[in-house]
Each structure stands twice: as structure tokens, then as C-alpha cells.
């Protein structure tokens, strides 16, 4: 019995429409048409305006706050499942709620596990995402997860800068593994920031483990939220004698006073991907698109080709 390759169809949640259009263009396909109907109370309903029966459906949408973005993804997965799509891939350039990956005190949820189960129940048969906040989140899924690394798009940019006396830094102990991976690839030194918090998003104390005197420092992190840690780290490093401090962060959440902090900080520049659209322009923020990376991996998924070559480290 012959096997028929399912037709690929790409759809976008509204919050990731711009990135999805770039991905579809890189893929060489048109973006599928979806119509959202909204009731007066804010409830909404997506509708695929073309047949997806027997197709391989890619639904692109980052799940950053507010919760409507996650709800859009869930409703579109359910719609594709009920319309008899053969394969349904949830493409989440940014997987939100990932900071809740464990119980760190009594009587709290494991939000990331809950979201993983919701995506599967809604109909996702495969997940493609990038730079999860914690690697172990992959284990929350029973379906295949393609966990991509933004280093694929950041490393060429860093090489173009041609910085001498380069040092890679992690803004906290949790990111040390990522910083060591970058430093190994770039053959540079590593510095780790040790910080203490009195409450969420408020740093009470920060120390450096390592020497930054006379170095061009690049801070590496998976996300930037309020930018409090990054700007504090840049300030401490410049006080310790660094020549310059840059930061590369995969997911630009940039909530609260993040933009003001970055503009007024010692950071030379902040380099991010377009996994989350920026709310406003900033002279210090450089966006590097991850569209080609996702389009390439989606094509390899469609043709059952290995994606291991996409992992630079």
C-alpha cells in the first residue's frame, strides 16, 4: 500500500501573525486563512476557511501573556483535530508559563506541565519550540518535541561583531549551562552572576564569579522580562572594569519598565529574536529573525528528515 505525503498547511495565531508570514515565506508556502469571530463579551472562535482534511497542519503561535494567546492556540488545535487533519504540529516560538516547571513551595501548580497536557488534549501531535526555560519541560509531553536552540541564529551575529577579549556571562546560576555552551563554541571565558531576590523580579544583591576587567562581555539568557537582572548585571560589570556589555536573550517579553530600563542602562545593545513581537522601538534592541530556522525544521518534519544538523551546540 503506497504512502501519500500529506499536504502541508501553515496557519497563524493572531499574536504571531508577522513571524508566521516570514516563516511561510521561508518555507515557500502561503499562509492559510483563518477567521476569528468575537462575541461582545470577548469570547472568540477561530475558523479555518479552507479544508485541512488529511493535511499536515502547522499552527504558529507564541503563548506569552495574556492568556488569550494560549487560548487561540488551543482552539485552533481543536478545530484542526475536528476537521480531520492527519498531523497537527503546534509551533510555539515562545512556550509561555515555562517558569512554573516545578513545585518550589507548597500548594503551587506546575503550570508548564498543565499547559503541555492541554496542548496534547486539544489535538497537538507534535511540538516545535525554541529555548525552553527549562530543558526538562520536554518530558512533560508524551508527543514528539523538537526543541530548537536560538544559538543557531545568535552565533553568526556574534561572529560578525568580531569582538576581541570576549567573555560570555550568565545572569544567574540557572543559566550557567547555556553560558558554558556558548563559551565553548566561541572559545571564550565565562563569568557567572550570583543574585539574591527578596521577591519576584526584585534583586536585592548581585556578585560576579569571574573577572571581567578589560573584557567585552556578552550576557546570555533565554528570556528578558522586566530587564532588572540584565541591567543590574551590566551595571555591576562596568563597575568591575568591563570594556562593554551586550546581552542576547531569545524571548523579548519586556514587561513593566523593561524598555525604560534598557534605554537608561549600561548595555551596549540587547539582541533578541522575533519569537515575541516588540511593543515599541528601541535604539538599543536589535531583532534577529528566527523565521528561517523554524521554516527549515518544519520542512524537515514534513519530509521526515533529521534536524540534528540544526543544533550548533
Amino acid at each position: 500500500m503506497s504512502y501519500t505525503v500529506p499536504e502541508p498547511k501553515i496557519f497563524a495565531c493572531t499574536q504571531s501573525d508577522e513571524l508566521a508570514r516570514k516563516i511561510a515565506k521561508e518555507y515557500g508556502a502561503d499562509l492559510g486563512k483563518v477567521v476569528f469571530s468575537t462575541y461582545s463579551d470577548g469570547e472568540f472562535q477561530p475558523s479555518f476557511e479552507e479544508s485541512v482534511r488529511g493535511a499536515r497542519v502547522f499552527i504558529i503561535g507564541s503563548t506569552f501573556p495574556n492568556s488569550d494567546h494560549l487560548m487561540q492556540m488551543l482552539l485552533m488545535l481543536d478545530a484542526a483535530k475536528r476537521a480531520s487533519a492527519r498531523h497537527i504540529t503546534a509551533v510555539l516560538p515562545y512556550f509561555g508559563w515555562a517558569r512554573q516547571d516545578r513545585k518550589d513551595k507548597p500548594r503551587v501548580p506546575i503550570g508548564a506541565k498543565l499547559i503541555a497536557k492541554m496542548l496534547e488534549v486539544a489535538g497537538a501531535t507534535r511540538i516545535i519550540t525554541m529555548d525552553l526555560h527549562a530543558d526538562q519541560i520536554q518530558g512533560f509531553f508524551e508527543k514528539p518535541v523538537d526543541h530548537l536552540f536560538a544559538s543557531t541564529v545568535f552565533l553568526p551575529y556574534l561572529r560578525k561583531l568580531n569582538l576581541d577579549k570576549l567573555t560570555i556571562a550568565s545572569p544567574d546560576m540557572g543559566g550557567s549551562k547555556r553560558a558554558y555552551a556558548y563559551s565553548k563554541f566561541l572559545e571564550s571565558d565565562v563569568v557567572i552572576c550570583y543574585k539574591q531576590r527578596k521577591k519576584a523580579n526584585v534583586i536585592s544583591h548581585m556578585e560576579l564569579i569571574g573577572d571581567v576587567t578589560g573584557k567585552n562581555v556578552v550576557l546570555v539568557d533565554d528570556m528578558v522580562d522586566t530587564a532588572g537582572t540584565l541591567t543590574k548585571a551590566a551595571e555591576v560589570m562596568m563597575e568591575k572594569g568591563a570594556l562593554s556589555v551586550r546581552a542576547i536573550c531569545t524571548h523579548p517579553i519586556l514587561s513593566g519598565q523593561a524598555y525604560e530600563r534598557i534605554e537608561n542602562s549600561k548595555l551596549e545593545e540587547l539582541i533578541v529574536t522575533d519569537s515575541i513581537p516588540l511593543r515599541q522601538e528601541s535604539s538599543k534592541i536589535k531583532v534577529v529573525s528566527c523565521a528561517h530556522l523554524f521554516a527549515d525544521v518544519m520542512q524537515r518534519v514534513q519530509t521526515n528528515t533529521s534536524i540534528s544538523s540544526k543544533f550548533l551546540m
Side-chain angles (χ1 to χ4, degrees), residues 27-40:
Y27 191 99
D30 294 326
L31 203 58
K33 189 175 181 184
V34 183
V35 172
F36 282 85
S37 304
T38 305
Y39 298 93
S40 63

Side-chain angles (χ1 to χ4, degrees), residues 37-237:
S37 304
T38 305
Y39 298 93
S40 63
D41 65 350
E43 179 181 330
F44 54 85
Q45 180 190 55
S47 170
F48 294 109
E49 297 297 293
E50 58 190 90
S51 173
V52 296
R53 184 177 295 276
R56 183 187 293 278
V57 174
F58 295 100
I59 301 173
I60 302 170
S62 290
T63 53
F64 55 94
N66 59 47
S67 302
D68 281 358
H69 300 154
L70 171 63
M71 200 63 202
Q72 275 197 26
M73 172 61 76
L74 294 171
L75 289 174
M76 289 177 70
L77 290 170
D78 187 69
K81 178 178 69 177
R82 295 177 190 282
S84 303
R86 189 190 299 183
H87 305 287
I88 306 170
T89 301
V91 182
L92 301 109
Y94 170 65
F95 181 90
W97 309 86
R99 284 174 281 192
Q100 301 179 48
D101 62 314
R102 64 192 184 284
K103 283 189 71 173
D104 55 0
K105 63 179 184 178
R107 300 177 296 283
V108 296
I110 302 178
K113 175 73 177 289
L114 174 64
I115 302 302
K117 292 295 128 189
M118 290 168 70
L119 290 168
E120 289 182 341
V121 170
T125 58
R126 189 180 197 93
I127 310 294
I128 301 178
T129 188
M130 178 172 66
D131 278 4
L132 288 165
H133 187 60
D135 289 344
Q136 64 267 24
I137 291 173
Q138 297 173 77
F140 294 166
F141 291 92
E142 299 301 326
K143 307 295 184 185
V145 177
D146 296 312
H147 182 202
L148 313 182
F149 296 150
S151 55
T152 309
V153 295
F154 283 139
L155 285 171
Y157 182 87
L158 285 178
R159 280 176 171 154
K160 284 182 183 175
L161 293 176
N162 197 27
L163 297 171
D164 59 352
K165 299 178 181 178
L166 175 65
T167 291
I168 299 297
S170 171
D172 53 38
M173 301 298 283
S176 58
K177 180 182 174 185
R178 182 180 294 109
Y180 278 118
Y182 271 86
S183 69
K184 185 178 179 182
F185 198 85
L186 295 167
E187 298 179 339
S188 68
D189 297 331
V190 179
V191 171
I192 309 294
C193 297
Y194 174 72
K195 64 184 179 184
Q196 292 179 319
R197 295 183 191 272
K198 285 185 177 177
K199 59 181 181 180
N201 292 330
V202 178
I203 301 167
S204 59
H205 182 69
M206 179 177 282
E207 290 285 343
L208 294 185
I209 303 174
D211 184 17
V212 296
T213 307
K215 302 290 182 64
N216 289 301
V217 183
V218 176
L219 283 154
V220 179
D221 209 351
D222 65 310
M223 66 171 70
V224 49
D225 189 353
T226 64
T229 299
L230 282 185
T231 54
K232 178 67 176 175
E235 184 182 324
V236 171
M237 289 173 178

